[in-house]
Amino acid sequence: MEYTRLGRTGLTVSRLCLGTMNFTWTTGKPDAFTLMDAAHEHGINFFDTANRYGRPDYGDTETLIGDWFSQGGTRRHKTVLATKLYGLMGDWPNDGKLSALNIRRALDASLKRLKTDYIDLYQFHHIDRDTPWEEIWQAMEIAVQQGKILYAGSSNFAGWHIAKAQGVASSRNFMGLVSEQSIYNLIERSLELEVLPACRDLGLGVIPWSPLHGGLLGGVLRKQNQGIRRLEGRAAKTLEALRPRIEQYEAFCDELGHEPGDVALAWLLHQPGVTGPIIGPRTSEHLEASIRALDLTLDETALSRLDEIFPGHKTAPEDYAW
């Protein structure tokens, strides 16, 4: 396993982050336990979840992870644990978003479900336009002082949201955000306009979610031809809109002699500022396939060809102005 620092912190994390959104949804408890144990065996120490993840109830995924920790051993010690808050967890006022009250309640509830006394990386799942940053940071400062969280991160923020948050944090002599979790892959590269440059300038690690864009970069056409996978609804429409580029992409992966999913993950690992993509394996075989990407080196010729198939962005404003 390869490791790196999370943004400007001294925290060391694996270059692949185990995503747990599938746990309790498509991956049951026994299989989830097996996956988390296997992740540790492969050297993955970075796990991501959220208080809204779970089925049939919100919070069930955190509870599952807590049950895994409670088995003992070094499970909790070896895990850099990231979770999130923002979404409504109930139908009563102040059951969501980023008020000081909800931060306090949501944090305590996550700690209870996760059966731990601290969270390594506590992330804002979305921007809260109704709560001032002075209030948010005051609540987070208290949580840090209490030892309940170590670092704060954001998710799905715009570049100016990150800059504003850091400006207020700096005025309070607080570290502020250390990471941003956002969609980023060969197909969806809008992050390159402002978010990625802001993160690199301000020292935030970037944690991409949906690195295979819902499976479209994982050899979807090949799987359809083999009768392994069939897309419907919105996913099918997206595939048809992108079919010419995905056909070129899969053909190029064949030329390279690598699986499309491996190439997509490897491309992210080559991008400056990226800490590591979030992988969401449903089986041990899926996990082992993701590990392969760490050994895949893409030269400048391959990276240029991928840019031709899936054009990216220059940093704003040069992308659209002089």
Side-chain angles (χ1 to χ4, degrees):
M1 179 53 57
E2 297 176 7
Y3 298 93
T4 188
R5 298 290 177 85
L6 180 61
R8 67 192 185 283
T9 75
L11 183 67
T12 299
V13 295
S14 52
R15 295 221 66 199
L16 293 177
C17 178
L18 181 69
T20 64
M21 191 170 68
N22 289 327
F23 292 179
T24 76
W25 185 260
T26 60
T27 304
K29 190 171 185 176
D31 290 336
F33 278 25
T34 298
L35 277 171
M36 288 187 282
D37 284 332
H40 274 180
E41 290 171 6
H42 283 291
I44 296 175
N45 74 333
F46 195 15
F47 290 13
D48 176 75
T49 191
N51 63 353
R52 287 259 298 190
Y53 293 171
R55 185 180 185 184
D57 297 317
Y58 296 144
D60 282 353
T61 299
E62 286 188 332
T63 298
L64 183 152
I65 295 170
D67 290 344
W68 180 71
F69 285 149
S70 69
Q71 293 181 105
T74 57
R75 288 178 174 85
R76 178 64 187 98
H77 175 76
K78 292 169 66 175
T79 303
V80 175
L81 176 63
T83 192
K84 315 180 199 72
L85 83 155
Y86 175 84
L88 288 171
M89 294 293 287
D91 57 5
W92 199 246
N94 302 307
D95 280 348
K97 295 195 173 181
L98 303 180
S99 69
L101 177 60
N102 188 53
I103 288 174
R104 176 175 177 171
R105 289 175 173 172
L107 175 56
D108 285 344
S110 283
L111 289 170
K112 183 177 180 180
R113 287 189 293 265
L114 288 161
K115 297 181 175 63
T116 186
D117 57 359
Y118 75 99
I119 289 166
D120 299 276
L121 179 62
Y122 201 40
Q123 304 162 107
F124 310 125
H125 213 159
H126 197 276
I127 187 70
D128 183 352
R129 295 179 174 87
D130 298 321
T131 304
W133 276 107
E134 290 80 3
E135 177 180 348
I136 295 170
W137 286 139
Q138 182 183 54
M140 296 295 281
E141 288 163 11
I142 292 171
V144 170
Q145 291 164 6
Q146 293 174 331
K148 294 181 178 180
I149 65 170
L150 302 182
Y151 304 95
S154 58
S155 181
N156 307 308
F157 275 31
W160 73 273
H161 294 146
I162 293 170
K164 185 175 181 179
Q166 294 304 79
V168 176
S170 179
S171 72
R172 300 176 65 88
N173 295 315
F174 188 61
M175 192 172 195
L177 302 171
V178 303
S179 63
E180 160 62 16
Q181 184 180 138
S182 187
I183 185 170
Y184 185 38
N185 54 56
L186 274 166
I187 293 173
E188 178 48 72
R189 298 179 61 172
S190 301
L191 207 72
E192 296 168 350
L193 284 164
E194 299 197 18
V195 175
L196 191 55
C199 290
R200 294 182 65 187
D201 184 70
L202 295 169
L204 278 67
V206 175
I207 311 167
W209 58 264
S210 194
L212 303 187
H213 206 74
L216 295 184
L217 293 167
V220 64
L221 295 179
R222 182 187 306 171
K223 292 175 182 177
Q224 281 194 337
N225 292 335
Q226 294 173 349
I228 298 174
R229 183 170 187 178
R230 179 182 177 185
L231 298 180
E232 298 178 351
R234 182 178 178 182
K237 292 180 180 178
T238 302
L239 172 59
E240 287 310 307
L242 296 172
R243 180 176 288 273
R245 285 193 284 172
I246 292 176
E247 287 176 344
Q248 294 178 57
Y249 173 68
E250 292 192 11
F252 180 59
C253 291
D254 287 340
E255 291 179 27
L256 293 174
H258 295 290
E259 294 296 320
D262 298 354
V263 174
L265 288 174
W267 178 84
L268 279 171
L269 293 167
H270 281 69
Q271 302 311 303
V274 169
T275 299
I278 297 174
I279 58 172
R282 294 189 297 277
T283 66
S284 296
E285 290 74 20
H286 292 160
L287 175 62
E288 291 170 5
S290 298
I291 300 293
R292 289 198 304 260
L294 295 167
D295 296 324
L296 203 169
T297 299
L298 299 173
D299 60 23
E300 290 301 319
T301 301
L303 292 171
S304 295
R305 177 58 180 143
L306 291 170
D307 283 339
E308 291 174 3
I309 299 171
F310 299 109
H313 294 279
K314 297 179 182 177
T315 300
E318 286 83 359
D319 190 76
Y320 48 79
W322 56 276

